[in-house]
Amino acid sequence: AATAQSVAACELVLSGHRDGAERLRVALPLGAPNFEIRFIHSVLGTAVVDRYEVREPGRMHLVEEQFSGDGYGLPAAAASGETLIQDGELKRLRLDRLVHPLVVRPLRAQHMQLRVGERTWLLADLSASTAAIELSAHACR
């Protein structure tokens, strides 16, 4: 039988991309470690939600991108193995893309947020400047 000390919780760790300094450590949901990165599109001014799943051995997979409008950096069509669903103005691209390393630049104007379960963090508050933040998963099995 495993003891509480021998079972590590799956955690998402946010660190400075260049300096490696830890900025935030968040426990991910048990059984289905996942999280979202939400931001405002820099050109369109519309909300974008990227959903990620953590899979063995701690790799992040982008599994859905939700957005409205057409603009730079947003998909116009689904690629092979992907599905693009349109519901009125809202579009959902379902995919399975390994993103490694996962690095974001939390510009305050884009109001970039990390959402895990019901908790949300403004990523610009974790970086004194526009320094990039790397997200990595630890002890996820």
Side-chain angles (χ1 to χ4, degrees):
T3 65
Q5 288 183 348
S6 66
V7 178
C10 179
E11 294 179 307
L12 186 64
V13 178
L14 286 72
S15 305
H17 180 56
R18 292 201 186 270
D19 65 14
E22 187 175 308
R23 306 282 198 269
L24 179 68
R25 185 175 288 259
V26 180
L28 292 172
L30 294 174
N34 61 73
F35 62 94
E36 295 177 352
I37 295 179
R38 299 168 172 235
F39 60 96
I40 303 301
H41 191 276
S42 61
V43 176
L44 299 175
T46 57
V48 178
V49 178
D50 289 341
R51 290 193 174 100
Y52 291 87
E53 290 179 358
V54 178
R55 300 188 189 149
E56 291 184 37
R59 302 288 186 158
M60 265 92 49
H61 289 251
L62 177 61
V63 295
E64 184 177 272
E65 186 164 47
Q66 188 179 100
F67 57 96
S68 58
D70 296 310
Y72 179 77
L74 296 175
S80 177
E82 300 176 349
T83 305
L84 183 61
I85 302 165
Q86 182 146 4
D87 183 13
E89 291 292 315
L90 184 66
K91 296 177 185 177
R92 284 191 176 100
L93 179 66
R94 296 206 172 124
L95 65 162
D96 186 357
R97 182 178 303 149
L98 173 65
V99 182
H100 183 78
L102 176 52
V103 177
V104 298
R105 186 168 302 280
L107 302 175
R108 195 163 293 279
Q110 287 186 297
H111 199 68
M112 187 174 285
Q113 302 173 356
L114 168 68
R115 184 170 177 91
V116 177
E118 297 300 316
R119 297 199 58 200
T120 302
W121 293 265
L122 184 61
L123 294 183
D125 289 347
L126 302 177
S127 181
S129 63
T130 59
I133 294 176
E134 183 169 345
L135 293 85
S136 57
H138 295 261
C140 297
R141 299 179 187 150

